[in-house]
Amino acid sequence: GAVVALVPAAGRGVRLGESVPKAFVPIGGSPMVRYAVEGLIASGAVDRIIVMVPAEFVESAVALLPPSDSVHVVVGGAERIDSVRAGLAAAPEAAYYLVHDAARALTPPDLIARVVTELRAGHLAVVPALPVADTIKSVDAAGAVTGTPDRAGLRAIQTPQGFAAGLLRSAYLAEGVQATDDAGLVELLGAQVRTIPGDPLAFKITTPLDLVLADAVLDGASA
Ligand code: CTP
Ligand code: MG
């Protein structure tokens, strides 16, 4: 069955604070979204790629992405969830979906291939996970600590997140649902989500400090 990667790239990048939407901010001289798409292609595990961008960036996205019959650009939405919905609508033929943030531009192709291997082995939902380095606490509205979950049982979750197509479509059929990642929506359906080891290079470029890190990684790679 076909593996279709949906690449949310329609965010504004408010926390990064650059003058163009985050996916179009250059790292090592090229826009982030180009690295993300090139990584998916290099994995050899993806049949088609749908990139969701802000409406006024469709033309520039088409111009900067690798020219390929299997790479398509569509208009995203106001929230990430709306962007993923737009991607789903553009790829009804998928047997498996990967949802992969453009902001995780340096994700190693090997991680992408490992997610697909798990899907093809029959797992319905697969996410990359890393141990958390910080202690995580819950707090109330006033900032008072209400608890400290055991860190050993916590993971930081990355993308690509992989799903059997029917499961992800069902998760997105529900209206008005909220989750901070795609697996969160699938969990609301009661489905099992499998974790596999993530990769530090799959970090999400969110803040100006992350941009410094991405540039340094690329500078080191070309040195
Ligand atoms: N995204 C999207 N559509 C949206 C919002 C986000 O496709 N309406 C994408 C972003 O482009 C990014 C990924 O989802 O690749 C993860 O989102 P995030 O890191 O939060 O990016 P932004 O929303 O752009 O950043 P910020 O929240 O700081 O504005
Ligand atoms: Mg955001």
Side-chain angles (χ1 to χ4, degrees):
V3 177
V4 177
L6 310 178
V7 181
R12 294 289 154 186
V14 172
R15 288 168 290 180
L16 195 56
E18 296 283 325
S19 58
V20 291
K22 185 161 76 179
F24 297 86
V25 171
I27 52 175
S30 293
M32 280 184 216
V33 64
R34 180 142 108 202
Y35 288 95
V37 168
E38 282 172 351
L40 287 161
I41 293 171
S43 77
V46 174
D47 298 299
R48 208 153 79 88
I49 301 171
I50 313 288
V51 185
M52 296 81 79
V53 303
E56 68 277 25
F57 279 82
V58 170
E59 260 183 68
S60 51
V62 169
L64 67 86
L65 291 174
S68 161
D69 286 347
S70 45
V71 179
H72 301 262
V73 177
V74 302
V75 178
E79 303 291 335
R80 186 181 180 281
I81 197 167
D82 307 310
S83 295
V84 175
R85 260 204 193 93
L88 284 169
E93 83 283 11
Y96 305 99
Y97 291 109
L98 298 182
V99 186
H100 184 43
D101 291 331
R104 298 185 186 271
L106 300 183
T107 301
D110 156 75
L111 174 57
I112 297 162
R114 285 192 285 118
V115 171
V116 173
T117 297
E118 296 295 313
L119 289 175
R120 292 202 183 278
H123 299 286
L124 300 179
V126 180
V127 302
L130 287 180
V132 291
D134 291 317
T135 294
I136 308 289
K137 293 187 188 293
S138 56
V139 295
D140 66 17
V145 169
T146 57
T148 307
D150 181 8
R151 195 169 67 189
L154 296 176
R155 297 289 181 275
I157 301 301
Q158 304 179 316
T159 76
Q161 299 191 350
F163 305 93
L167 178 60
L168 191 64
R169 280 193 214 109
S170 302
Y172 271 87
L173 278 179
E175 286 293 333
V177 286
Q178 293 281 344
T180 54
D181 70 345
D182 303 283
L185 290 178
V186 159
E187 289 157 45
L188 293 176
L189 299 181
Q192 274 275 316
V193 177
R194 176 181 177 79
T195 62
I196 63 167
D199 192 301
L201 286 172
F203 72 101
K204 187 158 69 80
I205 300 167
T206 304
T207 65
L209 182 59
D210 297 327
L211 204 54
V212 172
L213 178 59
D215 278 324
V217 168
L218 288 170
D219 196 39
S222 65

